[in-house]
Amino acid sequence: MPNLDLYRKKKYITKSRSRDYDYEYPTDEDYVYFDAEADPRYDNMRPGTVTIEGYGLDCWEYEELHGKSYDKTIFVGTGPLPNLPAKKLLRRIDELQKMTSKSLGWSPKQDEEDLAEFAGPGEWYFDGYSKDGYRIFSSFYSLLNRRSIFTEWFRTSSISLSMHKDTNGIWNFLWQIILGRELARRLERFPDASVSGFTLHILSTLIVSELWINNVKFVLVKAKEEKEEETKEAADALKEKGNEALKTKDFETAIEHYTDALDLVPKDPVYLSNRAAAYFSLHEYEKARKDAQACVDANPSYSKGWGRLGAAKFELGDYQGSMEAYKKGIEADGKGGSAILKQGYEDAKRKYESWKKVEHIDTPEVEKSKAAEQAKKAKDKDDEPKPWDEAWSLKGKTLQIHSLVHERQVEGLLRFAETMRWPYMNETRDYAEDVYGNLRGGTTIPIDLYDWIFGVVLPGKWMAYKIVAALVLCTPSLTKEVGTAKYYEMGLSLQKQTYWRSRTVLGRVLGCLPGVKFLCGWIGPCPPLTDGPYRKFIRIKTRKIAPPKQNDRTIRIGGPGPDEGEESIRIQPDEDIQRWMSEIKDDSRWSNPESPVRQMTTCTLESIRLKKLPLDASLVANQGEMSEAEIEEEAQYRASLVFKIDNEEPVTYTLYTTPVFVTPPSCTGGLHQVHVRELPKFQRNVWNVEDLKAAEPTEYEDNGVMIINATGKGAETVARAWCSERGKSAVVRATGSACFSCAYHVASGKGLGTNVLIWVS
């Protein structure tokens, strides 16, 4: 879905591969943690699970949030900054948007001058600077890392808000956009240059700069033109009245309505063309000609206007002018011209050829037509573009911001809603299709919807937050009551269904339910809450599961150490080496481990229950200063799932933690065999889902990998819920994934170290 690509982050620094090895060296960008789900390698196709690379990103995030903090020194510039007028910033934005080549300038000298213009003189400007990527990036990083001047966009949910926050906000905003884009162009030119200072702040600037340059357009509008635009709706209403009068052949009334519309929008080509038709019907051909001429002057590509002009000139005896007008109409049509235009051209041509045989002087009407054309050429010359800076001067003008991607963004929003089976589809579509037109007409829209319509959204959790915020804001019956989420991880509860963020506990546990979809960081539609609350955003309280560590210091994923039971394949202290070697080499002693037997158990999710937790102590102290709505926004809930397993009594799992479920890739080369000495470990710690609730840690801990047989109907959801209650991440093996042997080893200590394998099929 191209219009939902905002969810994934692209790379801005791509180094060439090693000459000796088939891999890429890490870049400065690879050492900066941005957001796990923004990485294209994060999610697995199976909802609620991640890839092995995704598990690594989750471990990295855990370390960023809960690990030991390290001081990182970066150099920040303190030199004088250039004084950049608005017209210069707008001019450079326009230049960057029009660039089709990756070349930096006509010459190295011009490249240096471009840098000096927007980054200040000093160290930017010296002989040979533009050829030294290390110095270029060091200067860019030290400037852009000045957080007192430039916005840290990763710290806010709305990029556009930073532009509108104060009088100077937009100009600092555009300055940051220009510097970010200039940096990106040079990163393409010097991919192997590495220097300290590449921060999360720099990365978010690169992302936002690219989005803004590609998706947003500035337009300067004269004050008079702005006023005309504001009255366009009223003029269109008058035009419709004129059209109705024209249909009933009340031509005088039609002319009155078109004239009133033209008083509001004087040069609208449609109004002029329609009034020309009315004059023509009253045989007032000169007036029809003037309106038709004004129409094509205003819009030379309007073929209907050329047809009106050709017809009027024909009746006035200007057959050559009529023929030329019809010809231009055919050319403007782009489809070879309509039958009316073609017939009009042939009639005018026939008349003109007959006239040439007997007459050789221009009629007064022809002279008037030629004079009008000369006047138009003179006007075009006066309107030639001015020098760049003056063309972007704000004097006597208003700056408008237009979205270049509003249709794409609306399409993406509606496609997301359809995929997730949004219950208010018709209402949302009606509002979303008109939202940009309403904005252009002067209607104020919420900032989150503004960000979405302009396509200026950071990838990952920011985009996931923004798309559902836009969905609710485009559903008027929900907007006032539900509003937008205060926290990125909040889910949405409706009367008949719920939606949960894919990285929250309910997103991960319920992702395997039938009919549930994953898209842009959301899981749904899921079953509704049993006892509410409904029509609101919900925050579920859980804790993260710590990844396996070595010596309580370093996160360790994989390694050469043995997993439980592997020592049996090694030679024993009192074992004869020749006998051991013979046994290991014996092909008959290697076989495929027997996977868990398919169960006929049926597990049904009966209810999703929430328990409201007490307000945090730090908030209780300020409770008197908070509104009821603000207090409710801070509420957290504990979730529990109630299952019915066959005919047994219902069993409840309380979701205390947010586990990570990893789906390993499929094996290559078929099933992988193990030695008979290893076979016992594949059978000694296997559990059926109906026995999980009563399982004691002493029964499954320190006994190799715990294998949960989730082959029964609905059993995987129970297994995932058990993992959340007991604080266990797990490897999930389903059809198309790894073989039993490989899935076991991925879950074991020499793999990811989850020590839990959920065997689905």
Side-chain angles (χ1 to χ4, degrees), residues 641-696:
L641 305 181
V642 180
F643 294 95
K644 181 78 171 175
I645 304 177
D646 291 335
N647 295 320
E648 302 295 326
E649 289 294 317
V651 58
T652 300
Y653 285 100
T654 303
L655 310 182
Y656 294 112
T657 67
T658 303
V660 182
F661 299 116
V662 185
T663 298
S666 59
C667 294
T668 56
L671 302 178
H672 292 88
Q673 297 182 332
V674 299
H675 196 270
V676 292
R677 293 189 178 200
E678 294 183 275
L679 288 178
K681 70 181 181 183
F682 291 91
Q683 305 298 329
R684 68 176 175 225
N685 199 11
V686 181
W687 293 79
N688 293 328
V689 291
E690 58 267 30
D691 302 322
L692 289 175
K693 187 66 179 179
E696 295 292 337

Side-chain angles (χ1 to χ4, degrees), residues 94-340:
D94 185 64
E95 288 175 348
L96 290 170
Q97 288 181 320
K98 290 178 177 177
M99 285 182 181
T100 57
S101 172
K102 293 184 179 180
S103 60
L104 300 180
W106 296 108
S107 66
K109 181 176 178 61
Q110 182 193 341
D111 186 25
E112 292 167 357
E113 290 173 349
D114 287 341
L115 288 176
E117 183 179 18
F118 289 96
E123 62 175 315
W124 290 86
Y125 195 85
F126 63 86
D127 186 39
Y129 184 88
S130 62
K131 299 179 182 178
D132 190 337
Y134 300 95
R135 290 180 181 271
I136 289 175
F137 298 148
S138 178
S139 298
F140 264 114
Y141 298 165
S142 65
L143 176 58
L144 282 170
N145 279 320
R146 296 179 73 162
R147 298 172 185 177
S148 59
I149 300 173
F150 299 118
T151 303
E152 294 181 291
W153 282 315
F154 62 91
R155 296 190 185 277
T156 177
S157 65
S158 173
I159 293 168
S160 301
L161 193 60
S162 64
M163 181 181 65
H164 296 292
K165 64 182 179 181
D166 55 51
T167 306
N168 295 322
I170 185 172
W171 308 121
N172 276 354
F173 180 94
L174 295 184
W175 186 19
Q176 189 172 353
I177 293 293
I178 291 169
L179 291 175
R181 192 58 178 165
E182 296 285 13
L183 172 59
R185 296 170 64 220
R186 285 157 180 82
L187 286 171
E188 293 177 353
R189 183 174 181 181
F190 303 104
D192 294 321
S194 176
V195 63
S196 64
F198 191 97
T199 61
L200 182 55
H201 182 35
I202 299 291
L203 180 55
S204 62
T205 296
L206 289 169
I207 295 170
V208 174
S209 297
E210 181 179 27
L211 292 173
W212 187 270
I213 292 296
N214 292 338
N215 298 349
V216 183
K217 181 72 174 176
F218 285 116
V219 177
L220 289 181
V221 180
K222 294 180 181 179
K224 183 180 178 181
E225 292 174 354
E226 186 180 53
K227 185 177 180 180
E228 290 171 357
E229 187 173 299
E230 292 174 355
T231 59
K232 186 70 164 63
E233 186 176 344
D236 280 340
L238 291 167
K239 181 203 72 171
E240 291 301 323
K241 291 181 179 180
N243 290 349
E244 291 299 322
L246 200 64
K247 290 177 184 177
T248 59
K249 298 185 178 182
D250 186 357
F251 303 120
E252 290 86 356
T253 301
I255 289 170
E256 289 177 5
H257 288 312
Y258 293 139
T259 301
D260 290 341
L262 285 163
D263 287 341
L264 296 175
V265 187
K267 296 182 180 180
D268 188 283
V270 176
Y271 306 165
L272 288 165
S273 174
N274 289 5
R275 192 171 70 173
Y279 278 131
F280 188 91
S281 299
L282 291 174
H283 307 293
E284 296 185 30
Y285 301 122
E286 178 56 28
K287 291 182 179 180
R289 185 198 67 78
K290 287 182 178 179
D291 274 354
Q293 184 66 56
C295 168
V296 297
D297 287 345
N299 184 2
S301 63
Y302 192 39
S303 60
K304 186 178 287 187
W306 288 109
R308 303 266 195 244
L309 182 60
K313 286 189 173 186
F314 184 92
E315 295 298 333
L316 291 169
D318 182 7
Y319 305 123
Q320 183 180 10
S322 174
M323 186 172 63
E324 292 173 352
Y326 280 123
K327 184 178 180 182
K328 288 183 178 180
I330 292 170
E331 292 171 351
D333 181 69
K335 298 180 180 179
S338 66
I340 294 175

Side-chain angles (χ1 to χ4, degrees), residues 491-521:
L492 178 60
S493 170
L494 301 176
Q495 196 73 32
K496 295 184 178 180
Q497 58 211 70
T498 56
Y499 298 92
W500 304 100
R501 290 281 283 110
S502 60
R503 300 191 69 208
T504 61
V505 63
L506 285 173
R508 286 181 169 169
V509 172
L510 302 180
C512 56
L513 290 175
V516 166
K517 303 290 185 181
F518 164 75
L519 187 60
C520 294

Side-chain angles (χ1 to χ4, degrees), residues 468-484:
V468 167
L471 196 59
V472 172
L473 293 171
C474 285
T475 309
S477 63
L478 283 180
T479 301
K480 186 175 181 180
E481 184 177 357
V482 177
T484 55

